[in-house]
Amino acid sequence: MKVLDIGPTSSTNINFLTGMGHGVWMADVVDESSRKEWELPPVEEGGQPGFNTDTFFEQNLNFSGREFDVVMLWTTLDYIPDALTAPLIDRLHKSLKPGGKVLALFHSKSVGPDTAFCRYHLTPTDAIEAQESGTYPIRRVYTNRNIEKLFAAYSNYRFFLAKDNVYEVIITR
């Protein structure tokens, strides 16, 4: 399979997945999207700044026509600028094979001890390990309904309540 891991680079994930014979591509969207160079001036005075999505995608998520079987989105959507969220989900839809899966994690709270930005590591068990990886604030908390709207172009969603104020969603293209 071809797997896209969107989050801080995890050598654990690379070794785990390649050891199973899968190809892995990495993209650290949160760190890269926090740079001021992608910000566009507001359209109206006092409005929200825009985001240079075309150039951002060309430089950071250019897959050269590659399609993925699995995307691990982790808690990425909690931390990226609002103007990037819908275009990123659309880009992933175009890059995911029909029937492909997205594993996305979402915080259920915006503040507290379990809201740190983390690098997630796959394990041979059904547990995922989290390692604090940065100091980004959560920009928003999504409800199930918000997630369904964001992924409206996809065919199916399965929601799972996890521990540590994080819930998991498996989304099918």
Side-chain angles (χ1 to χ4, degrees):
M1 290 192 310
K2 293 179 183 169
V3 179
L4 175 59
D5 188 345
I6 298 184
T9 301
S10 167
S11 59
T12 302
N13 290 354
I14 294 169
N15 293 334
F16 183 79
L17 293 166
T18 58
M20 294 172 53
H22 305 307
V24 181
W25 286 260
M26 308 293 291
D28 189 354
V29 175
V30 173
D31 184 54
E32 187 62 32
S33 69
S34 68
R35 298 182 183 185
K36 293 292 183 195
E37 67 194 72
W38 306 115
E39 197 171 282
L40 297 173
V43 175
E44 302 172 354
E45 188 174 327
Q48 292 292 323
F51 194 88
N52 189 343
T53 55
D54 292 338
T55 305
F56 180 84
F57 287 147
E58 183 60 35
Q59 292 184 20
N60 295 285
L61 294 169
N62 183 350
F63 306 126
S64 302
R66 199 171 278 114
E67 288 186 319
F68 298 95
D69 299 286
V70 174
V71 174
M72 295 181 297
L73 191 53
W74 306 120
T75 57
T76 301
L77 298 181
D78 295 349
Y79 295 97
I80 63 173
D82 289 334
L84 181 59
T85 303
L88 174 63
I89 292 168
D90 183 56
R91 176 67 144 225
L92 295 177
H93 186 268
K94 292 175 183 171
S95 301
L96 196 61
K97 290 180 181 178
K101 307 282 187 203
V102 176
L103 167 63
L105 303 182
F106 295 90
H107 288 94
S108 61
K109 296 181 180 179
S110 60
V111 295
D114 296 321
T115 59
F117 180 68
C118 290
R119 170 182 288 115
Y120 293 91
H121 303 290
L122 299 170
T123 68
T125 69
D126 62 354
I128 297 171
E129 295 176 351
Q131 174 187 21
E132 202 166 317
S133 181
T135 57
Y136 301 100
I138 290 179
R139 295 178 183 246
R140 80 204 56 76
V141 173
Y142 291 97
T143 64
N144 289 4
R145 184 69 184 131
N146 296 140
I147 295 166
E148 289 172 353
K149 285 181 181 179
L150 284 172
F151 290 93
Y154 292 70
S155 67
N156 190 20
Y157 332 91
R158 293 187 67 201
F159 293 85
F160 302 92
L161 186 57
K163 63 179 185 171
D164 301 328
N165 295 314
V166 174
Y167 56 101
E168 304 169 8
V169 185
I170 297 175
I171 304 153
T172 305
R173 178 177 188 277

